[in-house]
Amino acid sequence: ISSQGLGQLVDYANLPDHLIDNILPHLFKVYIGPTEKQNILDISTHYSKGRGERAHEWVEDSKKKEEAATNGIKSASYMLLADIYQEMTTTQ
């Protein structure tokens, strides 16, 4: 999937690796050495909204959220996002 600007569609499951291998070095021309790579991998294990009292290790909860979604939400998501998701997963 090509970008018309600086935006890039990224599969959340592959975000740390895609950030290290593609986004930072190619899109933003940022050098990623072993230290930078390790820092990204380390921070990716923490809950992104967790600061102060909310700080904790990141826990996968996609399955739980998917199971809680109504049939209407699932149907609309499939109708609106299935094609672009398929394209994204075959190009990354």
Side-chain angles (χ1 to χ4, degrees), residues 1-2 8 12-13 23-24 27-28 31-33 37 40 45-46 49 59 61-62 71 74 78 83 86:
I1 297 172
S2 66
Q8 191 171 94
Y12 191 78
I23 296 172
L24 290 173
L27 196 61
F28 292 103
Y31 170 77
I32 300 296
K37 179 178 180 175
I40 292 168
T45 65
H46 292 81
K49 297 174 188 156
V59 178
D61 65 350
S62 298
N71 287 336
K74 290 177 184 178
Y78 182 81
D83 291 343
Q86 180 64 32

Side-chain angles (χ1 to χ4, degrees), residues 5-90:
L6 292 179
Q8 191 171 94
L9 188 61
V10 178
D11 187 349
Y12 191 78
N14 302 323
L15 183 57
D17 290 331
H18 196 70
L19 185 66
I20 292 164
D21 297 334
N22 297 299
I23 296 172
L24 290 173
H26 299 293
L27 196 61
F28 292 103
K29 309 295 185 213
V30 173
Y31 170 77
I32 300 296
T35 301
E36 293 83 5
K37 179 178 180 175
Q38 192 58 53
N39 287 343
I40 292 168
L41 293 173
D42 289 346
I43 201 68
S44 71
T45 65
H46 292 81
Y47 180 56
S48 63
K49 297 174 188 156
R51 292 187 179 89
E53 294 178 17
R54 295 181 64 184
H56 59 81
E57 292 283 317
W58 182 80
V59 178
E60 170 60 51
D61 65 350
S62 298
K63 185 81 171 158
K64 180 179 168 184
K65 289 177 181 176
E66 205 171 300
E67 290 170 353
T70 65
N71 287 336
I73 294 290
K74 290 177 184 178
S75 177
S77 297
Y78 182 81
M79 182 179 70
L80 297 169
L81 303 171
D83 291 343
I84 191 73
Y85 182 78
Q86 180 64 32
E87 185 178 347
M88 176 189 67
T89 56
T90 58

